[in-house]
């Protein structure tokens, strides 16, 4: 029988005050009062319908993402988390994260969120530069960002700041200044990632120009050095943390762990006792979701897709890839990917050891080329 480990829970809140031009996440602009009471009721019903897939595994991380989850009142968050815990086993020391906007009204709710069980906050800062915030269509200014960080630090030591580099009109010194500001406030975790323009976004339609590749590369190299010097360890392509503050929920994704996804447009991945992996996708249409039509699709992941998805996630991490771990997570023997591994080694992307593989610096720098090998 396939050995099953604890599972994570992702909860999607689909509303935003404004759709940012670069955003390709599933969300709705809130032009009127959010039907949060009704949505929470349906989230819990959606959760109940997925329980048969879990096979009595404890939930050890919960992530409330969006959209902008901090638009919800503290009472709604409390009802949601209490409802989850009444219906299923949640670890006493579970990591429970909420994504939040640095808007004044929203960060004033943080103390109430903590009282509801939230123990990790993730602030979508993006930049401390007010002019750049306008360019990327955020709804707050640098003063609100700083106030939100100060208030969050009073409430919790477990604070992540989301920052982006390669913004329209951003200079190298701007990107480094953002990091210096973030480091000054000593968050436990910094997510620092490059802005990319996806095809189904407003910025793509407008053909928004980003800094040249050389400037972006310099931002990455010098930013990495600054973060390392300041005590932040890079454990994933865009994630840096103080000791023992890695995001456990995201680590579960990158280690090809299992998670339930509830809410409008949410995705789930759940391994069964026979080793099969089930993928669930929830209905993106909010009106349909609020009538009880939760599930859009459910399917068994093929062996080919399992292999690719495993490496697509695990290659993001800065750690050895245990061959035993590959077998445990995919229920596939590594002999099936022997030729792919040999090609990756020959290209200088991987190093092969007795019990593990290790991604080289070249492999990290040309990750897309490395992944293409596992598509074959």
């Amino acid at each position: 029988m396939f050995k099953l480990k604890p599972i994570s829970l992702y909860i999607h809140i689909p509303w935003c005050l404004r759709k940012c031009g670069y955003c390709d996440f599933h969300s709705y602009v809130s032009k009127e009062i959010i039907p949060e009471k009704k949505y929470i009721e349906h989230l819990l019903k959606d959760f109940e319908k997925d329980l048969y897939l879990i096979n009595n595994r404890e939930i050890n991380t919960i992530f409330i993402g969006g959209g902008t989850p901090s638009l919800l009142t503290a009472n709604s968050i409390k009802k949601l988390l209490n409802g989850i815990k009444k219906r299923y086993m949640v670890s006493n020391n579970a990591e429970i994260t909420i994504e939040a906007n640095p808007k004044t009204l929203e960060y004033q709710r943080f103390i109430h969120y903590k009282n509801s069980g939230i123990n990790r906050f993730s602030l979508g800062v993006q930049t401390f530069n007010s002019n750049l915030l306008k360019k990327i269509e955020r709804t707050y200014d640098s003063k609100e960002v700083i106030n939100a960080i100060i208030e969050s630090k009073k409430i919790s030591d477990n604070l992540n700041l989301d920052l982006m580099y390669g913004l329209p009109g951003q200079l190298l010194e701007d990107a480094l200044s953002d990091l210096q500001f973030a480091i000054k406030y000593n968050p436990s975790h910094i997510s620092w990632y490059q802005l990319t323009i996806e095809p189904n976004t407003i910025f793509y339609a407008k053909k928004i120009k980003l800094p040249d590749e050389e400037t972006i590369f310099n931002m990455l190299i010098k930013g990495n050095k600054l973060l390392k010097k300041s005590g932040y360890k890079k454990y994933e392509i865009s994630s840096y943390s103080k000791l023992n503050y890695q995001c456990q929920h995201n680590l579960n994704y990158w280690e090809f762990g299992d998670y339930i996804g509830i809410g409008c447009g949410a995705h789930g991945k759940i391994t069964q006792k026979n080793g099969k992996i089930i993928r669930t996708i929830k209905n993106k249409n909010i009106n349909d979701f609020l009538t009880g039509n939760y599930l859009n699709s459910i399917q068994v992941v093929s062996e080919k897709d399992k292999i690719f998805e495993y490496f697509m996630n695990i290659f993001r991490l800065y750690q050895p890839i245990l061959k035993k771990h590959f077998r445990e997570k995919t229920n596939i023997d590594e002999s099936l990917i022997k030729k792919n591994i040999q090609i990756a080694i020959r290209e200088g992307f991987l190093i092969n050891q007795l019990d593990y593989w290790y991604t080289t610096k070249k492999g990290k720098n040309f990750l897309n080329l490395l992944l293409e090998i596992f598509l074959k």
Side-chain angles (χ1 to χ4, degrees):
M1 185 179 292
F2 198 74
K3 185 179 179 181
L4 299 173
K5 293 186 177 182
I7 197 165
S8 294
L9 170 63
Y10 174 75
I11 304 169
H12 192 69
I13 310 298
W15 292 282
C16 286
L17 288 173
R18 178 181 181 179
K19 185 81 170 178
C20 297
Y22 60 84
C23 179
D24 69 335
F25 289 115
H26 177 62
S27 61
Y28 292 92
V29 175
S30 174
K31 295 180 179 178
E32 51 190 42
I33 297 174
I34 294 171
E36 54 186 280
K37 182 179 179 181
K38 187 175 182 181
Y39 189 66
I40 297 299
E41 291 172 358
H42 281 282
L43 277 176
L44 294 173
K45 290 177 181 177
D46 184 18
F47 178 64
E48 288 174 355
K49 287 182 176 292
D50 275 359
L51 291 181
Y52 79 98
L53 294 169
I54 302 177
N55 294 305
N56 296 316
R57 283 181 285 170
E58 189 176 58
I59 292 172
N60 63 357
T61 75
I62 298 175
F63 195 102
I64 307 173
T68 308
S70 54
L71 287 174
L72 299 189
T73 64
N75 284 337
S76 290
I77 295 296
K78 185 176 182 179
K79 183 178 179 180
L80 172 62
L81 292 176
N82 285 344
I84 295 294
K85 292 173 182 177
K86 284 179 182 178
R87 288 164 173 79
Y88 199 70
M89 302 174 289
V90 177
S91 169
N92 290 331
N93 60 350
E95 176 193 86
I96 305 177
T97 303
I98 189 168
E99 288 184 331
N101 196 327
K103 199 75 178 165
T104 303
L105 178 63
E106 294 168 44
Y107 70 69
Q108 288 176 346
R109 295 172 174 163
F110 289 1
I111 184 65
H112 302 293
Y113 288 162
K114 183 179 180 182
N115 292 337
S116 299
I118 303 292
N119 53 33
R120 184 176 184 271
F121 292 87
S122 182
L123 276 178
V125 173
Q126 315 314 348
T127 176
F128 290 88
N129 186 311
S130 290
N131 290 329
L132 291 176
L133 283 169
K134 288 180 182 178
K135 283 189 176 183
I136 61 172
E137 303 178 352
R138 301 299 281 180
T139 59
Y140 48 83
D141 58 27
S142 59
K143 185 178 178 180
E144 285 185 294
V145 170
I146 292 169
N147 287 340
I149 294 171
I150 292 170
E151 293 305 311
S152 301
K153 290 285 290 181
K154 291 178 183 177
I155 296 165
S156 176
D157 290 331
N158 203 352
L159 173 67
N160 170 64
L161 300 183
D162 265 354
L163 293 170
M164 293 194 297
Y165 64 93
L167 305 179
Q170 188 180 42
L171 304 175
L172 172 60
E173 50 265 38
D174 296 328
L176 296 179
S177 177
D178 279 342
L179 286 179
Q180 287 164 347
F181 256 103
I183 291 164
K184 173 184 174 183
Y185 293 102
N186 196 35
S188 57
H189 192 285
I190 295 175
S191 298
W192 191 56
Y193 51 96
Q194 180 186 341
L195 171 63
T196 55
I197 306 298
E198 301 298 333
N200 56 334
T201 61
I202 297 169
F203 277 13
Y204 183 85
K206 290 182 177 180
K207 298 181 180 179
I208 296 294
K209 187 178 179 181
L210 303 180
D212 60 74
E213 289 185 6
E214 183 179 354
T215 300
I216 290 175
F217 183 71
N218 283 330
M219 289 176 181
L220 173 62
I221 297 301
K222 294 189 177 183
N224 278 338
K225 289 180 180 178
L226 176 58
L227 285 161
K228 184 178 180 180
K229 181 182 177 182
S230 304
Y232 290 90
K233 183 178 181 180
K234 186 174 187 176
Y235 68 99
E236 185 267 343
I237 284 176
S238 58
S239 301
Y240 307 76
S241 77
K242 294 291 185 72
L243 185 64
N244 298 324
Y245 279 101
Q246 296 95 332
C247 178
Q248 297 305 309
H249 186 89
N250 286 343
L251 269 176
N252 183 54
Y253 289 153
W254 299 321
E255 292 178 346
F256 206 53
D258 289 340
Y259 53 95
I260 315 164
I262 64 170
C264 189
H267 289 229
K269 169 192 169 285
I270 309 120
T271 306
Q272 303 301 293
K273 289 181 179 179
N274 60 7
K276 289 184 178 180
I277 294 177
I278 303 294
R279 282 272 181 205
T280 61
I281 301 176
K282 299 303 171 62
N283 199 324
K284 284 187 175 183
N285 186 299
I286 186 62
N287 293 322
D288 285 349
F289 190 89
L290 291 175
T291 60
N293 185 10
Y294 310 131
L295 189 64
N296 177 63
S297 67
I298 182 169
Q299 62 182 31
V300 176
V301 180
S302 68
E303 288 206 344
K304 179 185 176 182
D305 287 343
K306 272 200 280 187
I307 291 170
F308 178 73
E309 289 180 20
Y310 174 85
F311 284 111
M312 181 177 67
N313 284 282
I314 204 76
F315 281 151
R316 294 181 65 93
L317 294 174
Y318 283 74
Q319 64 185 38
I321 304 162
L322 297 176
K323 296 175 183 179
K324 177 184 176 183
H325 185 268
F326 171 76
R327 293 192 297 269
E328 288 177 350
K329 292 296 183 180
T330 64
N331 201 30
I332 296 171
D333 192 270
E334 66 265 24
S335 61
L336 193 64
I337 55 168
K338 185 178 179 180
K339 289 183 179 180
N340 309 73
I341 294 292
Q342 287 173 342
I343 294 169
I345 293 168
R346 189 169 66 242
E347 294 294 329
F349 296 144
L350 282 185
I351 293 172
N352 184 47
Q353 298 292 343
L354 180 63
D355 297 321
Y356 65 88
W357 304 293
Y358 196 85
T359 314
T360 64
K361 186 176 181 179
K362 181 181 177 182
K364 290 296 184 190
N365 289 338
F366 298 95
L367 191 56
N368 287 340
L369 294 178
L370 172 56
L371 285 172
E372 283 180 12
I373 294 170
F374 292 90
L375 273 174
K376 299 174 182 177

